[in-house]
Amino acid sequence: MSHLGALQGLSELLHLDQLAHGSLCDDAQCTTLRRYASMTLTNLTFGHGPNKTLLCSTRPLLAVLSHQLASPNDDLRQVTASVLRNLSWRADSASKDALQQTNVVQSLITMSMETHRESTLKSMLSALWNLSSHSSCNKATICATPGSLEFLVRTLTYKSESKTLSIVESGGGIVRNISSHIATRDDYRATLRRHGCFQILLHHLRSPSLTVVS
């Protein structure tokens, strides 16, 4: 599929459909088309560096994915976050720059705070965990988003219906990555203290899951 141009074709399909119907379209056919196209991109980018590099060089696609995160359809938001998770995992420098310049970090943290379904939140936080390690600019964007630090502290005590620690681990990973930026601002440190972040992290030190605070 990659050799026959599937990546370019799917990218163009998503771009043209958004141009024709808008990023917030809730039409069932549009949503299904975008969801299946994004699912295919998720599969084609899993552990495949060249495919990820190619898609990150396609700026219109990254803009589409950023806008698609605000879709009223939860399934589409989840699969879009999955594509971004794959693209951001072990990304090369050019891909990191492209993801930063197309505002995906701002979109992810904003929509994460508005997401209630566990599986969707898991995908969004996983992508943010990757992106928060890319650059100081991404760290600053996360911290500067109103309510983000309070939200991330809440993820550290998330009660999962599936009895897993995935959201707690991702939230902890993001807090760890952005801590270097938090340390430069008195107001950010005060926010963490006010919401009991340090006590929560100390409690996690006794957790059998070391990945929570790794």
Side-chain angles (χ1 to χ4, degrees), residues 100-139:
Q100 178 181 310
Q101 292 167 15
T102 45
N103 212 33
V104 296
V105 170
Q106 182 71 67
S107 297
L108 277 167
I109 186 62
T110 300
M111 295 313 302
S112 292
M113 291 189 287
E114 299 179 11
T115 295
H116 301 290
R117 195 173 75 173
E118 181 177 336
S119 57
T120 305
L121 182 59
K122 177 182 174 182
S123 295
M124 289 184 170
L125 290 177
S126 182
L128 269 176
W129 188 356
N130 294 339
L131 288 159
S132 64
S133 69
H134 284 187
S135 68
S136 57
C137 182
N138 286 354
K139 294 177 175 66

Side-chain angles (χ1 to χ4, degrees), residues 2-123:
S2 300
H3 287 307
L4 293 173
L7 293 169
Q8 296 91 332
L10 290 168
S11 298
E12 186 173 357
L13 178 64
L14 285 170
H15 184 216
L16 292 175
D17 191 73
Q18 192 172 105
L19 286 177
H21 303 288
S23 58
L24 300 181
C25 177
D26 60 357
D27 177 79
Q29 290 185 331
C30 285
T31 299
T32 300
L33 181 149
R34 296 177 189 187
R35 187 162 60 90
Y36 286 163
S38 299
M39 289 168 63
T40 306
L41 289 179
T42 302
N43 292 338
L44 291 173
T45 54
F46 182 76
H48 198 289
N51 282 357
K52 294 195 294 184
T53 299
L54 176 60
L55 287 182
C56 284
S57 69
T58 310
R59 297 301 177 91
L61 172 67
L62 296 183
V64 165
L65 295 175
S66 181
H67 291 134
Q68 203 164 267
L69 287 167
S71 167
N73 184 276
D74 227 334
D75 291 327
L76 182 55
R77 289 200 303 271
Q78 179 182 352
V79 72
T80 302
S82 296
V83 178
L84 292 170
R85 177 199 61 210
N86 286 359
L87 293 178
S88 59
W89 173 246
R90 294 183 176 177
D92 57 33
S93 58
S95 297
K96 290 179 181 179
D97 289 342
L99 289 164
Q100 178 181 310
Q101 292 167 15
T102 45
N103 212 33
V104 296
V105 170
Q106 182 71 67
S107 297
L108 277 167
I109 186 62
T110 300
M111 295 313 302
S112 292
M113 291 189 287
E114 299 179 11
T115 295
H116 301 290
R117 195 173 75 173
E118 181 177 336
S119 57
T120 305
L121 182 59
K122 177 182 174 182
S123 295

Side-chain angles (χ1 to χ4, degrees), residues 132-152:
S132 64
S133 69
H134 284 187
S135 68
S136 57
C137 182
N138 286 354
K139 294 177 175 66
T141 297
I142 293 171
C143 292
T145 302
S148 62
L149 296 180
E150 297 91 333
F151 163 73
L152 289 171

